[in-house]
């Protein structure tokens, strides 16, 4: 097993920003240190589709000039941030790791990108993903897979595998990813970093290339819980350019980092821990989840198991709803409105067919076919309609659980990082998302926090779930788990 995470810059984003704001460290020096780490290890990891070296150096020089002029460039001043390559970046190629969008340069920044920049962070590159964010291993990228920095023979998870690997490898202390069914939390777990999926509507989706619009959310990857809190606070909040953006002000999470868990009621989701479904989870993953529950109890929380019965149908409902929405969202890539164009066909229909055939990879085509079928007349009620009813059941079951519990706990992923090619049939791959999907269907926030090691010493993540807009509770619980994990490793 070759591992590279032990080298390179390890300062947290908050440490870097404090030093840059105080004029003790230059942002240019910070960026250069991270670019040096990228130069040394990116060929082995392949976290990026594009490294924005020149733009990053120029942005860093600007931050330094502002500090010298007595300005405060913001809470993330001078901190490199890696951006999943499905977020629009003005003038910088944005591909979704698809041949369909290869070479496309958006004329604007996504709101989340705009906000990290406004907070002083410096975009350092665009990260690799499963094509159009469909996958759980980053093996579906049209530009080659990303490797897990903890074991270069294993996947980093997906679909935001490049963002998770970039943070784990010391390429950037911060990254943004998107999570439709687990694509932030699962790669965070497999790469040993923190990953937060915010409440649906907490972070603007403006400029995020749509996969399944009722599920997609942008969120942070970091090495520390405090950095996740700071990055979430920077990107969350209302945006008039996203019609599903929540108008009410979001609660800041940073002030809750040290709240602790005394008196907090924690429920372990039994379906994802002791039920039949969980019998397929790796025993080490379940053992670490138990250890995390014990750590919370030791810190003053009350911990019980609670049943959230319809979670077991989440996977089936998701793999109808998400492909249905994707089939509609991806209709725009027809060689005319957007995307790759194959010329030479006899007519427009032929050109569109040829363009889509050449531009999309096989998993994307599978989803488009699944979704089109689920939405077709005659099957709509039986598949799409039924899945939407399951979605309502899941929301109701969570509401019942949250009447008695403040937060819920489960493993993030059934397994640790697996070897390339190990899950070659789609169904086996889809099973990776069984623990993460329910919170997307409900719209609730959830976080993955590294907690110890599993098979072959690879990182394990535990997932905390909370009701709508209770990100602050996720942060306070995560901070306790982070401490406990460090203590037991020491
Ligand atoms: N792995 C899931 C899928 O393939 C989730 C993807 C995501 O969250 N973007 O659809």
């Amino acid at each position: 097993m070759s591992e590279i995470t032990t080298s390179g810059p390890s300062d947290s984003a908050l440490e870097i920003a404090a030093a840059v704001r105080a004029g003790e460290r230059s942002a240019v020096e910070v960026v250069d240190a991270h670019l040096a780490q990228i130069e040394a290890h990116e060929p082995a990891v392949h976290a990026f589709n594009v490294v924005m070296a020149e733009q990053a150096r120029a942005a860093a020089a600007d931050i330094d000039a502002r500090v010298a002029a007595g300005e405060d460039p913001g809470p993330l001043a001078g901190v490199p941030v890696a951006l999943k390559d499905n977020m629009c970046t003005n003038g910088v190629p944005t591909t979704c790791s698809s041949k369909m969008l290869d070479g496309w340069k958006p004329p604007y920044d996504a709101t989340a990108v705009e906000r990290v920049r406004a907070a002083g962070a410096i975009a350092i590159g665009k990260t690799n993903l499963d094509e159009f964010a469909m996958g759980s291993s980053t093996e579906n990228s049209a530009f080659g897979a990303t490797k897990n920095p903890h074991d270069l023979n294993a996947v980093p998870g997906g679909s935001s595998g490049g963002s998770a690997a970039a943070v784990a490898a010391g390429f950037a202390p911060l990254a943004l990813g998107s999570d439709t069914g687990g694509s932030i939390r699962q790669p965070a777990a497999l790469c040993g970093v923190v990953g937060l999926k915010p409440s649906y509507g907490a972070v603007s989706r403006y400029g995020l290339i749509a996969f399944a619009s009722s599920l997609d959310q942008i969120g942070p990857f970091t090495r520390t819980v405090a950095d996740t809190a700071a990055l979430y606070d920077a990107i969350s909040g209302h945006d008039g350019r996203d019609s599903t953006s929540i108008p009410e002000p979001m609660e800041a999470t940073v002030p809750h980092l040290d709240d602790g868990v005394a008196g907090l009621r924690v429920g372990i989701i039994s379906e994802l821990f002791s039920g039949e479904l969980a019998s397929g989870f790796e025993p080490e993953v379940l053992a670490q989840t138990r250890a995390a529950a014990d750590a919370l109890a030791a810190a003053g929380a009350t911990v019980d198991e609670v049943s959230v019965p319809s979670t077991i149908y989440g996977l089936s409902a998701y793999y109808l709803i998400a492909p249905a929405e994707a089939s509609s969202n991806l209709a725009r890539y027809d060689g005319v409105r957007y995307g790759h164009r194959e010329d030479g066909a006899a007519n427009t229909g032929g050109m569109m067919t040829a363009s889509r055939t050449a531009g999309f990879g096989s998993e994307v085509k599978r989803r488009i076919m699944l979704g089109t079928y689920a939405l077709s007349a005659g099957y709509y009620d039986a598949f799409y309609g039924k899945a939407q009813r399951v979605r309502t059941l899941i929301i109701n079951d969570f509401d019942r659980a949250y009447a008695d519990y403040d937060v819920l706990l489960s493993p993030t992923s059934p397994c640790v990082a697996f070897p390339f090619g190990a899950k070659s049939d789609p169904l086996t791959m889809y099973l990776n998302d069984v623990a993460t999907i329910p919170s997307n269907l409900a719209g609730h926030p959830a976080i993955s926090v590294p907690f110890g090691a599993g098979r072959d010493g690879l990182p394990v993540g535990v997932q905390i779930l909370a009701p709508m807009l209770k990100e602050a509770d996720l942060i306070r619980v995560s901070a306790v788990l982070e401490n406990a994990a460090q203590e037991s490793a020491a």
Side-chain angles (χ1 to χ4, degrees), residues 83-412:
L83 305 168
K84 188 176 182 179
D85 201 17
N86 61 351
M87 282 167 222
C88 290
T89 39
N90 191 0
V92 178
T94 299
T95 68
C96 279
S97 289
S98 178
K99 277 191 236 155
M100 189 51 103
L101 282 174
D102 201 6
W104 182 59
K105 290 182 184 168
Y108 66 99
D109 274 345
T111 297
V113 173
E114 212 175 78
R115 287 192 180 171
V116 284
R117 287 190 161 139
I122 294 169
I124 200 155
K126 303 296 295 287
T127 60
N128 196 17
L129 61 147
D130 285 299
E131 185 177 5
F132 280 100
M134 298 172 188
S136 309
S137 67
T138 319
E139 290 167 288
N140 294 336
S141 167
F143 310 130
T146 295
K147 319 277 174 28
N148 190 315
H150 292 269
D151 175 359
L152 296 173
N153 298 310
V155 304
S159 64
S160 316
S163 289
V167 170
F171 297 163
L174 303 175
L176 292 180
S178 65
D179 190 313
T180 304
S183 281
I184 292 174
R185 290 160 288 160
Q186 185 258 13
L190 272 49
C191 288
V193 300
V194 183
L196 167 70
K197 182 202 90 77
S199 303
Y200 184 79
V203 177
S204 172
R205 291 182 298 108
Y206 179 77
L208 170 68
I209 296 175
F211 163 12
S213 310
S214 78
L215 302 159
D216 300 338
Q217 266 297 283
I218 291 176
F221 285 95
T222 66
R223 289 189 294 268
T224 70
V225 173
D227 282 357
T228 282
L231 183 49
Y232 169 76
D233 287 353
I235 61 174
S236 57
H238 184 247
D239 177 17
R241 294 173 296 187
D242 170 2
S243 62
T244 59
S245 169
I246 296 171
E248 287 77 30
M250 306 297 147
E251 186 180 19
T253 59
V254 168
H256 296 280
L257 274 163
D258 297 323
D259 283 2
V261 294
L264 205 75
R265 300 162 305 166
V266 178
I268 311 176
I269 301 178
S270 51
E271 284 75 12
L272 301 173
F273 184 65
S274 53
E276 200 190 321
L277 200 63
S279 63
F281 290 20
E282 287 179 0
E284 299 88 345
V285 167
L286 293 171
Q288 293 293 6
T289 308
R290 175 83 261 165
D294 292 346
L296 294 175
T302 59
V303 183
D304 281 312
E305 275 196 41
V306 56
S307 173
V308 189
S310 51
T311 49
I312 63 168
Y313 303 117
L315 198 74
S316 315
Y318 171 88
Y319 276 99
L320 289 164
I321 293 169
E325 294 186 20
S327 70
S328 161
N329 275 325
L330 271 55
R332 74 192 67 175
Y333 305 103
D334 56 9
V336 178
R337 288 174 294 173
Y338 285 96
H340 173 83
R341 178 178 189 139
E342 287 284 308
D343 283 316
N347 53 38
T348 309
M351 180 279 290
M352 289 179 174
T353 303
S355 299
R356 287 166 71 79
T357 302
F360 288 135
S362 58
E363 182 60 27
V364 173
K365 286 175 184 156
R366 179 180 294 118
R367 304 283 177 113
I368 292 173
M369 287 187 279
L370 266 173
T372 307
Y373 184 76
L375 288 174
S376 58
Y379 294 106
Y380 183 96
D381 281 339
F383 293 116
Y384 183 73
K386 186 84 149 263
Q388 291 290 19
R389 288 195 285 279
V390 170
R391 193 171 185 176
T392 303
L393 287 181
I394 290 174
I395 294 170
N396 293 346
D397 278 359
F398 272 124
D399 284 350
R400 262 191 292 276
Y402 287 128
D404 298 320
Y405 296 91
D406 299 300
V407 296
L408 301 175
L409 176 71
S410 80
T412 304

